[in-house]
Amino acid sequence: MNGRRIVNLLKATRGIFLAVAGTLGVVVGTFPALAEINVNITEGFVEPLPVAVADFHGGQPEEQLLGHDMAAVISANLERTGLFKPIDDKAFIQDRDSLRVGVRFGDWRLINAQALITGKVQVQGDGKVKVEFRLWDVYAENMMTGFSYTSTRTNWRRISHRISDAIYKRLTGESGYFDTRIVYVSETGPQNRRQRRLAIMDQDGFNHKFLTNGRFDVFTPRFSPTSQEITYLSFEGNVPKVKLLDLQTGREETLGNFKGMSFAPRFSPDGNSVVMSLADRGNTEIYSMDLRTRKFNRLTNDPAIDTSPSYSPDGSKVVFNSDRGGSQQLYVMDITGGNVKRISFNKGRYATPVWSPRGDLIAFTRLSGRKFYIGVMKPDGSGERMLAEGYHVEGPTWSPNGRVLSYYKQGKSDSRGKVKSNVYTVDLSGYNERQVVTPLDGVDPAWSPLLQ
């Protein structure tokens, strides 16, 4: 189901809304009849769903300011998906204060809002913040879902992302991806002396911070699918070392010194092993390594260059690129290394394949006709589509729900020889490319799983 957004107003149903576990302190309950506004994503493009995100109300000025900021984050999250069109609050007829008493649905229908988000913010005596939100079907005049979160005040952006995830899931039927982070390589300096630092940010570009100091060059960070850990390549004294960094504790360890490695390894779906390519005496092969025992298992045995492996989400297969057929193409094999099949057959060279978390697609970089593309195809090679193109686009990484890709785009050098690189996202329709703003140049993004 890719691309076309069709909004169906369905008859009212009954149900309870589901608990969401997590460290933010979620309170859930049972509610009466709820009308379903379903956003179904298929081929093509139609107008996004008009939604109204009202400022969350509060009794004190601090609470009102926080309620305004949270509504702004939720509105921005929904707008960036391309599935929703937040209505300008200048068009609102009912104000925030009167929403405390109840929703005047007729006022929201007049401005064509099909869904409405309201909320309340309360700063408690212990300094923590309690946030309640409600999602309303304006035409059926029913509440669709609602939650109550309690957390520290500094967590207000995370609460906003969690609310956005709940709204997205209720309206689309798919898991959200807003409470996530993107790690990438930040670059600065002249082209022949680039300083490369590891950096991390929320998926919307906020809460940015550097993880390394730039003393050593770093490359190709990869997230664990089961925890907030990343692997990356660090060149210390021109020796490539694979580092494993725990983002929660800050603990770092060296997985090994691999002279023949050019990309950091990728994790298995259970997080217990990694797969990588290593060059030995001029021959590059693919290996897996058990992170508990540090034992290696060789998966390929071919005189060609086999590299850029990525696990399928069930851990049974690996996709990689190889020039064993005379040009750089994509191949799929069993986790044991057997049953190797080529899946790319169009013109050009293919690289950096990454399996979707849903298992239905493989993303890749393609070079054809002096232009780079970010594309997707099914695991059997069928249904190939290009989603983004440019002078140099590369390094796709999936959102945890498999609906959006991030990658980096590099422009041509200017008159001073400077080349600008930026991180972007695009959904599977290919219609909604967005830049994720970073303080400096950004390359090699990797998307985290949902935070816990």
Side-chain angles (χ1 to χ4, degrees):
M1 302 201 317
N2 306 330
R4 182 184 302 254
R5 292 116 189 187
I6 304 173
V7 181
N8 295 322
L9 291 177
L10 304 178
K11 64 181 181 179
T13 59
R14 298 187 64 86
I16 61 173
F17 72 98
L18 303 176
V20 176
T23 58
L24 295 179
V26 184
V27 180
V28 298
T30 302
F31 297 93
L34 31 121
E36 293 189 0
I37 303 174
N38 284 350
V39 180
N40 296 324
I41 307 169
T42 57
E43 295 291 335
F45 175 81
V46 296
E47 288 300 314
L49 176 73
V51 298
V53 185
D55 286 356
F56 291 9
H57 64 78
Q60 302 299 319
E62 177 189 12
E63 295 168 340
Q64 293 177 8
L65 179 61
L66 198 57
H68 171 79
D69 291 343
M70 295 184 74
V73 171
I74 295 166
S75 180
N77 279 338
L78 296 177
E79 190 275 333
R80 277 195 307 276
T81 67
L83 298 173
F84 307 98
K85 182 181 180 181
I87 298 170
D88 190 331
D89 60 6
K90 294 183 179 63
F92 292 0
I93 300 171
Q94 185 176 15
D95 60 25
R96 173 171 60 181
D97 291 336
S98 64
L99 279 168
R100 298 186 186 192
V101 179
V103 178
R104 298 198 301 263
F105 291 102
D107 289 354
W108 299 101
R109 285 194 291 271
L110 284 174
I111 62 173
N112 196 35
Q114 296 194 34
L116 169 67
I117 295 97
T118 64
K120 175 183 178 181
V121 177
Q122 180 182 9
V123 179
Q124 299 178 329
D126 58 2
K128 290 186 177 181
V129 176
K130 181 180 180 181
V131 181
E132 300 175 6
F133 93 95
R134 299 291 183 265
L135 171 64
W136 305 90
D137 183 327
V138 172
Y139 284 85
E141 299 190 2
N142 278 313
M143 188 176 75
M144 300 182 71
T145 190
F147 294 93
S148 174
Y149 295 85
T150 300
S151 186
T152 60
R153 193 187 188 286
T154 55
N155 248 356
W156 70 271
R157 291 193 70 90
R158 278 209 62 199
I159 298 174
S160 304
H161 293 320
R162 293 287 292 273
I163 291 172
S164 303
D165 282 332
I167 295 167
Y168 184 93
K169 184 172 184 178
R170 186 65 185 83
L171 292 177
T172 69
E174 296 184 348
S175 297
Y177 56 91
F178 304 111
D179 191 23
T180 58
R181 297 185 287 184
I182 293 176
V183 65
Y184 73 100
V185 175
S186 176
E187 294 188 336
T188 188
Q191 293 302 119
N192 59 346
R193 295 195 312 274
R194 300 290 272 174
Q195 182 189 61
R196 297 176 175 88
R197 287 183 287 177
L198 206 61
I200 195 168
M201 59 187 171
D202 293 349
Q203 52 79 27
D204 57 0
F206 286 85
N207 289 329
H208 185 279
K209 68 177 180 179
F210 293 104
L211 300 176
T212 59
N213 58 19
R215 184 181 174 189
F216 303 113
D217 277 346
V218 298
F219 297 89
T220 59
R222 314 291 196 208
F223 258 103
S224 167
T226 59
S227 63
Q228 293 299 310
E229 289 184 323
I230 58 172
T231 62
Y232 66 96
L233 272 181
S234 176
F235 278 77
E236 302 176 11
N238 293 323
V239 176
K241 295 183 178 180
V242 177
K243 298 286 189 176
L244 179 64
L245 173 63
D246 188 317
L247 294 173
Q248 293 179 316
T249 65
R251 181 176 177 269
E252 186 177 69
E253 62 178 301
T254 300
L255 290 183
N257 302 333
F258 307 117
K259 295 181 180 180
M261 177 176 286
S262 58
F263 295 92
R266 290 193 183 274
F267 286 91
S268 62
D270 61 10
N272 291 329
S273 62
V274 292
V275 65
M276 65 187 79
S277 59
L278 296 174
D280 182 22
R281 294 187 293 274
N283 185 29
T284 302
E285 302 288 1
I286 294 174
Y287 297 80
S288 64
M289 183 178 76
D290 190 309
L291 291 175
R292 296 160 297 186
T293 64
R294 304 299 169 90
K295 290 184 177 180
F296 280 87
N297 180 34
R298 182 169 173 170
L299 302 182
T300 60
N301 186 9
D302 193 279
I305 297 175
D306 299 329
T307 188
S308 303
S310 172
Y311 286 101
S312 63
D314 63 3
S316 67
K317 295 183 182 298
V318 171
V319 62
F320 63 100
N321 64 257
S322 173
D323 62 357
R324 61 179 61 194
S327 64
Q328 193 172 328
Q329 300 293 331
L330 303 185
Y331 294 80
V332 170
M333 64 180 171
D334 295 339
I335 190 58
T336 59
N339 197 26
V340 179
K341 294 181 180 179
R342 178 175 166 177
I343 62 170
S344 62
F345 292 95
N346 286 328
K347 294 180 180 179
R349 293 184 292 160
Y350 292 76
T352 62
V354 188
W355 221 302
S356 165
R358 300 192 300 188
D360 57 340
L361 294 170
I362 292 171
F364 54 85
T365 302
R366 180 182 169 193
L367 174 59
S368 178
R370 296 185 178 182
K371 185 176 287 189
F372 284 81
Y373 301 86
I374 298 295
V376 294
M377 66 174 64
K378 295 179 181 179
D380 62 2
S382 64
E384 180 175 336
R385 294 186 295 117
M386 300 300 115
L387 304 180
E389 64 178 73
Y391 173 73
H392 187 174
V393 292
E394 193 173 354
T397 179
W398 290 95
S399 65
N401 70 345
R403 176 59 58 192
V404 183
L405 284 165
S406 181
Y407 49 93
Y408 74 93
K409 182 181 292 188
Q410 192 175 69
K412 295 181 180 180
S413 59
D414 60 20
S415 58
R416 295 175 296 176
K418 180 173 175 54
V419 178
K420 185 69 176 175
S421 301
N422 297 110
V423 176
Y424 284 80
T425 62
V426 70
D427 65 24
L428 287 181
S429 71
Y431 288 105
N432 191 34
E433 185 180 57
R434 303 290 181 100
Q435 182 183 344
V436 183
V437 178
T438 55
L440 304 170
D441 286 8
V443 301
D444 291 334
W447 213 315
S448 81
L450 285 169
L451 300 176
Q452 298 298 321

